[in-house]
């Protein structure tokens, strides 16, 4: 345990650098967590169609779309997009080429192939004309450099502040798709999506982006200019930043506070789980959640928009039924028959698992348990067939009461040294594309306190480096992982066409980005 002396030392050390940040007590708790670590998540089995993953029947589409339309007319929907991620990783192989060639060092074979593919296809990228213009403004000709294969010069103008500076921008500001009127960024594509399935009866679409402080002004300016492309629509666009109070302290390999060369204690952003507060403060009702880089051109949006509406309709339908059950349980005339009906609904419609001794509980105990399990935020999570993408998947996991619950679990949460656990993880038939619809209000219209439903044991610790020294970094439970562990969860199979992420710039050469 962290001693009083250590706590006092932290308090004194932080007085000169904390300005409304996290308390010394919280930091001491984080250091203690570094010492003891996070327990591995124990997987029961992978969720599969018919066992945790719901497949929407074609005959149900019309009814769900009608439910969706009614809720949209009332203005119940909004959209939340985490968008602070930097584009640096997108250009990792190009940065390596630029930096190594300056030093006369050759790239590895795999990276060299990626760079060659990029260069061979350069004219088809949506930012080609922007690159051409910025080079021309500096007296350089892109086509001449391209002809003589002066790749380093081209990459400097693409990636550094000599030109477009893409390697230092957020991913959302990089043009992804080409249109007749020029390139369109992920920010613009998310707005284009939103006006199709977020728009209310008054014609307004509400979208919220989380951004980094250093890029907020540039993003705001970009979106203000982009409004002209959506002149026929009313847009309610807002922004927020990750709260500094959610940062976590970094420690050295001996679990002591890591200090930089200027003797400052190092704090690091705690991952997307830190955005739970942003989601709460958005004050939404039913919120679509999707990553910034998962967008497609207009010509390919059809199926994505249809399934967004279906998922939204399903959430409204289930939420209405849940609220009806809660009202029944809270009613004066609730008896064994009503309790049995609610329990059957929870098991068959919500995929809930009740304790084995549920049947022998008293009526009051049954009502209390069902109310506890139903009075929670609700999420519908789209799941695509596993194509080998890195990331989380849907699994059955035992909670602290020994009851199986449906959870999105990342590889980093699992003990991969345990052959059984590794086998379960690798058996997953579906993958989490971060395609959620979230109901964050209760049956009285009040906001749930989302922090009440976090599983604090689902964070993770990783090894990083700073100034040539190793350090340990901590991430909070992921936004759609442990941060929503206590939510009512329904996994739904969605088409692979709804998942088109851009992890490297070469992904923009795929057909689903060149529609």
């Amino acid at each position: 345990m962290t001693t009083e002396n250590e706590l006092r030392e932290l308090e004194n050390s932080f007085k000169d650098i904390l300005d409304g940040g996290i308390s010394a007590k919280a930091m001491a708790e984080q250091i203690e967590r570094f010492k003891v670590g996070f327990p591995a998540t124990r997987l029961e089995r992978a969720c599969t169609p018919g066992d945790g993953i719901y497949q929407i029947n074609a005959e149900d589409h019309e009814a769900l779309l009608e439910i969706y339309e009614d809720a949209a007319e009332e203005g119940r929907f909004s959209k939340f997009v985490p968008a602070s991620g930097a584009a640096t990783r997108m250009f990792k192989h190009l940065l390596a080429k630029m930096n190594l060639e300056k030093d006369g060092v050759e790239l590895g074979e795999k990276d060299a192939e990626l760079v060659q593919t990029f260069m061979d296809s350069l004219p088809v990228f949506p930012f080609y004309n922007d690159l051409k213009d910025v080079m021309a403004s500096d007296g350089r000709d892109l086509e001449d450099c391209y002809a003589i294969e002066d790749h380093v010069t081209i990459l400097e103008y693409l990636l550094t502040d000599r030109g477009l500076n893409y390697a230092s921008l957020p991913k959302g500001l990089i043009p992804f798709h080409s249109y007749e009127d020029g390139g369109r960024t992920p920010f613009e594509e998310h707005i284009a999506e939103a006006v199709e399935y977020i728009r209310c009866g008054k014609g307004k679409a509400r979208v919220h982006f989380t951004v980094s402080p250093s890029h907020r002004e540039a993003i705001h300016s970009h979106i203000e200019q982009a409004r002209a492309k959506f002149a026929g629509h009313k847009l309610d666009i807002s922004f927020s930043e990750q709260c500094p109070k959610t940062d976590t302290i970094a420690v050295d390999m001996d679990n002591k506070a890591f200090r930089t060369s200027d003797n400052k204690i190092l704090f690091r952003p705690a991952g997307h789980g830190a955005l739970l507060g942003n989601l709460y403060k958005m004050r939404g009702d039913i919120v679509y959640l999707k990553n910034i880089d998962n967008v497609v051109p207009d010509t390919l949006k059809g199926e994505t928009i249809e399934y967004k509406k279906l998922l939204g309709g399903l959430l409204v339908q289930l939420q209405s039924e849940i609220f009806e059950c809660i009202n029944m349980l809270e009613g004066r005339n609730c008896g064994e028959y009503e309790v049995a009906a609610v329990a059957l609904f929870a098991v068959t419609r919500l995929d809930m698992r009740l304790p084995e001794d549920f049947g022998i509980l008293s009526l009051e105990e049954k009502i209390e348990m069902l109310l506890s399990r139903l009075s929670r935020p609700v999420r519908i999570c789209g799941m695509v067939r596993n194509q080998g993408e890195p990331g989380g998947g849907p699994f059955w996991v035992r909670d602290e009461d020994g009851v199986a619950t449906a959870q999105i679990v990342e590889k980093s949460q699992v003990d991969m040294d345990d052959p059984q656990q590794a086998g379960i993880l690798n058996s997953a038939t579906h993958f989490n594309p971060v395609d959620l619809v979230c109901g964050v209000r209760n049956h009285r219209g009040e906001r749930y306190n989302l922090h009440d439903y976090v599983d604090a044991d689902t964070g993770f610790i990783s090894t990083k480096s700073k100034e040539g020294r190793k350090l340990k970094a901590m991430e909070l439970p992921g936004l759609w992982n442990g941060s929503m562990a206590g939510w009512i969860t329904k996994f739904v199979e969605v088409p692979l066409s709804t998942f088109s992420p851009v992890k490297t710039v070469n992904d923009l050469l795929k057909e689903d980005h060149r529609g």
Side-chain angles (χ1 to χ4, degrees), residues 90 125-127 175-176 502 504-510 513-514:
M90 233 180 110
F125 282 97
F127 44 74
F176 271 21
V502 176
T504 77
V505 67
N506 287 27
D507 288 338
L508 294 176
L509 298 173
K510 295 178 179 178
H513 289 288
R514 296 176 62 184

Side-chain angles (χ1 to χ4, degrees), residues 7 33 51 68 72 86 100 106 115 125 133 142 162 173 183 190 207 239 306 338 394 400 443 450 483 493 507 515:
L7 183 58
R33 178 64 83 170
D51 182 26
Y68 155 81
L100 290 177
E106 290 189 3
V115 171
F125 282 97
D133 290 344
L142 172 57
R162 187 178 180 184
L173 287 179
H190 273 285
V207 187
F239 308 93
E306 179 187 15
E338 288 77 16
E400 59 185 10
H443 62 303
L450 303 184
S483 286
E493 186 176 76
D507 288 338

Side-chain angles (χ1 to χ4, degrees), residues 366-385:
K366 290 176 182 176
I367 291 174
E368 182 181 359
M369 177 176 290
L370 289 171
L371 280 174
S372 172
R373 291 178 181 271
L374 293 176
S375 301
R376 297 165 181 259
V378 187
R379 60 175 177 163
I380 303 292
C381 308
M383 292 289 159
V384 297
R385 288 279 175 177

Side-chain angles (χ1 to χ4, degrees), residues 406-433:
Q407 302 289 339
I408 298 173
V409 181
E410 306 290 329
K411 183 177 181 179
S412 59
Q413 296 174 240
V414 179
D415 180 5
M416 296 303 288
D417 292 330
D418 183 329
Q420 182 197 36
Q421 291 293 293
I424 295 173
L425 184 84
N426 293 328
S427 72
T429 60
H430 288 69
F431 169 80
N432 168 41

Side-chain angles (χ1 to χ4, degrees), residues 225-240:
Q225 293 175 17
R227 285 180 183 271
K229 299 181 181 181
F230 308 97
H233 302 281
K234 298 177 184 178
L235 301 175
D236 180 0
I237 299 175
S238 57
F239 308 93
S240 66

